[in-house]
Amino acid sequence: MIKHSERQPELALHRQVVGAGDYYFDVIKAGQVFRILDLEGNQAADTLFYNAADPSEHYSFTDTIREQGNLYLTAGSVLRSNEGRPMLEMLADTCGRHDTLGGACASESNTVRYDLEKRCMHSCRDNWMLAIAEHPEFGLGKTDITHNINFFMNVPVTAAGGLTFEDGISAAGKYVELKALMDVIVLISNCPQLNNPCNGYNPTPIEVMTWEK
Ligand SMILES: [Zn+2]
């Protein structure tokens, strides 16, 4: 569902451009709103969420999908934790659909899906591992890497129940906006994938903005 936001970027508390293949790692307080902006279009933002007070509680795609009765995420979606609690609500969305089924790229999946020579290519899982190693203050470890959302990624489910990675439906300037319903840790890998159309074969920067409400 396409829904625009009235929030003004110049009134944001914090703005950060995240380069192609880089990560974003921060805490968003309950009540605050943040936006992920696809600056140049067709860029997947592979995102994990944790309860900042207890990171063993994390975003759960199974709880989220079951409760909303739909496989895709868009404005109105409430993102739930592995304890079934609402963590965030999607307030605005100018892209219209976001994936939470496809998972994130990793050295292993690149090798299995594409070629043994892809084993050393930069991946989202590498990004997350680097982030948690560089920021031990968030208290996350390897086993905390779990269900994620691929904002701006187009992974339609076929009539036979299959998953396909298709050309993106995002474009330059499209965004998604979420309100934190608890203090949440946000960890985004700005996907470096070059082997499928999730980034239009050309990873580009995103921008993250945060407002007080
Ligand atoms: Zn990726």
Side-chain angles (χ1 to χ4, degrees), residues 46 101-128 145 148 150 153 163 165 189 191-196 198:
D46 293 43
L101 300 173
C105 62
S107 172
E108 293 82 357
S109 61
N110 281 341
T111 306
V112 170
R113 283 178 181 149
Y114 307 112
D115 195 296
L116 192 56
E117 291 182 357
K118 309 289 187 183
R119 184 163 174 266
C120 297
M121 283 183 78
H122 188 180
S123 69
C124 283
R125 187 173 171 84
D126 288 347
N127 254 353
W128 291 334
I145 303 299
N148 74 292
N150 297 308
M153 191 168 163
L163 289 180
F165 292 178
S189 165
C191 183
Q193 179 61 259
L194 290 166
N195 297 298
N196 70 48
C198 71

Side-chain angles (χ1 to χ4, degrees), residues 60-209:
S60 161
F61 81 84
T62 45
D63 290 271
T64 299
I65 286 170
R66 184 190 65 241
E67 289 301 311
Q68 74 170 12
N70 194 293
L71 291 172
Y72 305 122
L73 302 177
T74 186
S77 288
V78 173
L79 310 184
R80 290 180 184 272
S81 75
N82 54 322
E83 296 180 20
R85 298 201 301 151
M87 299 185 80
L88 302 112
E89 181 180 358
M90 291 175 66
L91 298 182
D93 178 14
T94 62
C95 176
R97 178 194 285 181
H98 306 270
D99 166 64
T100 191
L101 300 173
C105 62
S107 172
E108 293 82 357
S109 61
N110 281 341
T111 306
V112 170
R113 283 178 181 149
Y114 307 112
D115 195 296
L116 192 56
E117 291 182 357
K118 309 289 187 183
R119 184 163 174 266
C120 297
M121 283 183 78
H122 188 180
S123 69
C124 283
R125 187 173 171 84
D126 288 347
N127 254 353
W128 291 334
M129 296 297 285
L130 179 65
I132 62 178
E134 290 185 335
H135 294 279
E137 67 272 22
F138 291 107
L140 296 177
K142 188 176 180 180
T143 55
D144 293 310
I145 303 299
T146 174
H147 304 181
N148 74 292
I149 296 172
N150 297 308
F151 288 111
F152 309 114
M153 191 168 163
N154 185 22
V155 183
V157 177
T158 67
L163 289 180
T164 56
F165 292 178
E166 296 292 332
D167 279 342
I169 52 174
S170 186
K174 302 240 179 193
Y175 60 83
V176 61
E177 216 168 83
L178 298 101
K179 179 178 184 176
L181 305 176
M182 61 172 70
D183 292 356
V184 288
I185 299 168
V186 180
L187 175 51
I188 302 173
S189 165
N190 191 19
C191 183
Q193 179 61 259
L194 290 166
N195 297 298
N196 70 48
C198 71
N199 301 320
Y201 300 99
N202 175 34
T204 51
I206 57 172
E207 183 174 2
V208 180
M209 303 176 204

